[in-house]
């Protein structure tokens, strides 16, 4: 099931990007820049954040940016496969993602909308498998959405 789900996600993301390019649309008439590329530090600089590095490994670099409701996670990946696997696992937590080539930002709707204006990318919302009264999933009181299980120790 994981491979099918991953391939569907990649296909849907590609189709959405192609449709946006073909129709020339942005988000509600807003101008969306070309999707950014680069290192974690380069993306953070373009996003106007001072990254607090949480994971610094060859295959994944992850940092938190902002504070309060504007807090988000920015992650870069060494491979497309690593990005797809991370996103597939993160899908269990729900949330709003901004997806670029080998990078993902995850945070609240407001933070992701602001980031899209700076980094470009594709917005994807995921429903949480942990929703309800259990307290898991969705954005928690501190602005995090449960994606911090992806940190390497």
């Amino acid at each position: 099931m994981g491979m099918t789900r991953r391939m569907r996600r990649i296909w849907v993301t590609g189709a959405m990007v192609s449709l946006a390019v073909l129709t020339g649309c942005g988000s509600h008439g807003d101008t969306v820049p070309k999707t950014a590329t680069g290192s974690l530090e380069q993306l953070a600089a373009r996003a106007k954040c001072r990254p607090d590095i949480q994971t610094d490994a060859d295959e994944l670099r992850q940092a938190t940016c902002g504070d309060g409701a504007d807090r988000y996670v920015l992650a870069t990946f060494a491979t497309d496969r690593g990005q797809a696997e991370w996103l597939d696992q993160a899908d269990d937590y729900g949330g709003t993602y901004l997806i670029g080539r080998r990078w993902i930002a995850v945070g609240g709707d407001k933070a992701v909308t602001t980031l899209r204006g700076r980094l470009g990318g594709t917005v994807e919302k995921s429903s949480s498998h942990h929703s309800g009264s259990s307290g898991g999933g969705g954005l928690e009181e501190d602005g995090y959405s449960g994606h911090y299980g992806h940190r390497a120790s």
Side-chain angles (χ1 to χ4, degrees):
M1 180 175 158
M3 185 62 154
T4 302
R5 192 163 140 191
R6 185 176 324 130
M7 294 306 290
R8 184 177 68 234
R9 180 178 309 285
I10 291 169
W11 184 86
V12 169
T13 301
M16 289 171 39
V17 169
S18 297
L19 182 61
V21 168
L22 289 173
T23 61
C25 14
S27 143
H28 304 289
D30 295 337
T31 303
V32 177
K34 180 178 174 186
T35 301
T37 59
S39 69
L40 181 67
E41 290 79 7
Q42 290 167 331
L43 292 167
R46 188 164 172 180
K48 299 180 182 173
C49 104
R50 293 185 64 176
D52 179 13
I53 305 291
Q54 303 297 313
T55 303
D56 192 1
D58 290 338
E59 66 280 353
L60 167 71
R61 298 192 69 222
Q62 185 169 297
T64 57
C65 290
D67 53 19
D70 294 327
R71 191 173 226 173
Y72 61 93
V73 170
L74 182 60
T76 57
F77 305 88
T79 65
D80 294 329
R81 180 178 178 174
Q83 178 180 10
E85 289 173 355
W86 187 96
L87 189 57
D88 192 44
Q89 289 177 345
D91 188 46
D92 290 340
Y93 297 97
T96 303
Y97 305 91
L98 181 61
I99 302 169
R101 172 68 195 235
R102 293 194 181 167
W103 60 264
I104 293 174
V106 60
D109 289 343
K110 180 182 173 192
V112 168
T113 298
T114 300
L115 284 174
R116 186 165 188 242
R118 295 175 183 164
L119 299 178
T122 302
V123 175
E124 181 175 321
K125 289 192 179 211
S126 174
S127 60
S128 172
H129 296 278
H130 301 287
S131 62
S133 61
S134 66
L139 286 178
E140 303 295 334
E141 290 179 17
D142 64 359
Y144 286 104
S145 58
H147 300 282
Y148 307 96
H150 298 285
R151 284 189 211 165
S153 298

